[in-house]
Amino acid sequence: MFTGFATLGNVAMTIPIVYQVCKANPNISFTLSTRKENVEIFVSKPANLTVVGVEMKKYRTFVGAIRLAKNLLLRYNFDAVADLQGSAYTWCIDKYLAWKKLRVATLDRCRKDCRKLTSGKLRQSIPPIQERLCEVMTKLGLNHGDELVTILNDDAAINSKIVPEKGEGEKWIAIAPFTNHKGKAYPIEQMQLIVTELARWDGTHIFLFGNGKNERAILDSIMRRYKNVTSVPHLDDHTMPDELDLMHHCDVMITLDSANMHLAALVSLPVVSVWGATHPWCGEMGWHQAMRDTVQLDLDCRPCSMTGNKRCRYGDYHCLHDISPEMIIKKVKRVLDR
């Protein structure tokens, strides 16, 4: 049993390791329990993997966590647990299942090193989360198998209705300009300047990714200015697999330290990622994404937060506002020229 009840981006980070472990151990049946809303990102999953969506509002408290553990054990009768989240919530589940004599392995969140990073006492990267997830699998005696490149290939094509026909030599650029925390948010006014410049390039089409009422309104206002810009939320009724298929056909994505960075990694889409309060050193960079494609400023105050939820100590978020649109555009051009 794999457990992971975190946000979409955090769960997406686990998929490359989960898929390759399932494929490397075909004689073992695996069950992954996660939030109900995260289930649809498990596209083209291995045949021996069952993904269970949990309505978390029924199990919010620590008592609820124990009740959830009881229900999962009763229904699926598993022998071991890989905790892919390592939170206080899953700690309750782990303790109950260990008391039930099950083998339990838990993700190391490296909390001490994280505190050192955000306080400026550590100036180097902690182990990537995928490396730490592999350690969880090793503790349970599971083979890792070959590294996953993409969850979509010719054998697992979705052929989504929202993916238009791509012209010869045309370049598709995905842009995901939103994130949940202010410490990660690149100013939308500066992102609009990037869209304006990229829309001028010959043979370029831009797809804007976002969700929620406010985000849809912003993307709509941007889309209306250009013929070669599409707001993905405004496309016909579609699902997350459809969006993953669209990403799969793009040539590069501009994104922040957000869920879209990790979703793009699942389909092997090159990413130019923008970092502010957080930092790739925190170990949560996208799967197989390169430092050379990051855009960030070398500041002593970075990183000041693991999630971007802390207020800027200077009040101006200059780690993001001082990143010029030209810096990001230059990185995009380098990716497209490879």
Side-chain angles (χ1 to χ4, degrees):
M1 167 69 76
F2 301 124
T3 58
F5 305 100
T7 57
L8 180 67
N10 286 324
V11 172
M13 282 189 279
T14 69
I15 290 180
I17 306 303
V18 168
Y19 277 27
Q20 68 187 44
V21 166
C22 290
K23 291 176 181 178
N25 301 271
N27 297 324
I28 300 177
S29 295
F30 295 92
T31 301
L32 188 145
S33 183
T34 186
R35 292 174 181 267
K36 187 176 181 179
E37 56 268 30
N38 292 338
V39 171
E40 63 178 351
I41 68 172
F42 289 86
V43 174
S44 307
K45 60 184 178 61
N48 58 335
L49 174 64
T50 300
V51 180
V52 178
V54 176
E55 196 72 57
M56 291 303 294
K57 65 181 180 181
K58 298 179 180 179
Y59 305 99
R60 285 179 178 171
T61 64
F62 290 147
V63 174
I66 300 300
R67 185 158 49 88
L68 174 58
K70 290 180 180 179
N71 292 346
L72 290 172
L73 184 58
L74 180 64
R75 182 172 181 180
Y76 298 101
N77 193 31
F78 42 88
D79 303 298
V81 181
D83 177 355
L84 309 182
Q85 186 174 338
S87 67
Y89 185 85
T90 55
W91 178 86
C92 294
I93 295 176
D94 296 346
K95 289 300 181 183
Y96 173 79
L97 295 175
W99 177 67
K100 284 291 196 178
K101 308 301 182 184
L102 272 70
R103 289 184 297 153
V104 177
T106 304
L107 174 68
D108 181 3
R109 300 301 307 188
C110 297
R111 289 184 172 85
K112 288 184 179 179
D113 285 340
C114 290
R115 286 193 292 269
K116 289 180 181 179
L117 268 175
T118 55
S119 66
K121 296 178 180 178
L122 182 66
R123 304 298 295 174
Q124 64 184 44
S125 178
I126 64 175
I129 190 168
Q130 291 84 6
E131 181 180 317
R132 287 176 274 143
L133 287 168
C134 284
E135 291 175 357
V136 173
M137 307 305 178
T138 299
K139 290 176 183 177
L140 295 178
L142 297 170
N143 297 323
H144 298 168
D146 298 327
E147 285 195 347
L148 181 78
V149 176
T150 176
I151 61 173
L152 294 181
N153 50 46
D154 294 337
D155 297 328
I158 294 177
N159 299 319
S160 170
K161 63 182 179 180
I162 72 167
V163 180
E165 185 175 348
K166 193 173 187 178
E168 184 177 354
E170 192 174 13
K171 297 295 184 182
W172 288 4
I173 301 175
I175 300 180
F178 302 111
T179 182
N180 290 332
H181 299 300
K182 192 171 181 179
K184 298 180 180 180
Y186 188 64
I188 193 64
E189 298 80 11
Q190 291 173 233
M191 190 67 80
Q192 288 176 355
L193 295 176
I194 293 172
V195 174
T196 298
E197 176 59 28
L198 296 179
R200 291 178 182 148
W201 294 4
D202 292 336
T204 298
H205 196 100
I206 299 169
F207 294 92
L208 304 176
F209 287 78
N211 199 7
K213 185 176 180 180
N214 291 337
E215 294 181 7
R216 286 172 63 96
I218 293 172
L219 296 184
D220 180 64
S221 68
I222 297 174
M223 177 181 66
R224 290 175 182 273
R225 305 175 192 177
Y226 314 94
K227 293 182 179 180
N228 58 338
V229 174
T230 298
S231 170
V232 176
H234 289 80
L235 297 176
D236 293 336
D237 187 36
H238 63 277
T239 63
M240 180 59 71
D242 292 317
E243 293 197 14
L244 287 170
D245 193 26
L246 179 56
M247 289 184 190
H248 180 58
H249 286 82
C250 290
D251 298 284
V252 64
M253 171 179 269
I254 302 172
T255 184
L256 314 176
D257 174 15
S258 66
N260 279 296
M261 178 177 71
H262 300 292
L263 295 175
L266 296 180
V267 295
S268 195
L269 171 61
V271 166
V272 172
S273 54
V274 182
W275 300 75
T278 59
H279 197 290
W281 280 350
C282 298
E284 296 191 354
M285 198 160 147
W287 177 247
H288 285 168
Q289 290 172 5
M291 283 290 290
R292 62 180 175 173
D293 296 330
T294 63
V295 183
Q296 54 187 325
L297 300 177
D298 186 12
L299 301 172
D300 291 338
C301 59
R302 294 186 57 241
C304 65
S305 172
M306 293 297 295
T307 61
N309 62 341
K310 293 182 179 179
R311 293 184 62 181
C312 174
R313 69 185 68 172
Y314 302 108
D316 58 4
Y317 294 95
H318 61 290
C319 59
L320 288 158
H321 290 255
D322 289 355
I323 294 176
S324 69
E326 290 75 21
M327 293 171 65
I328 298 172
I329 293 169
K330 185 177 180 180
K331 293 276 187 174
V332 171
K333 189 175 186 305
R334 285 182 179 177
V335 173
L336 293 177
D337 288 344
R338 284 178 196 159

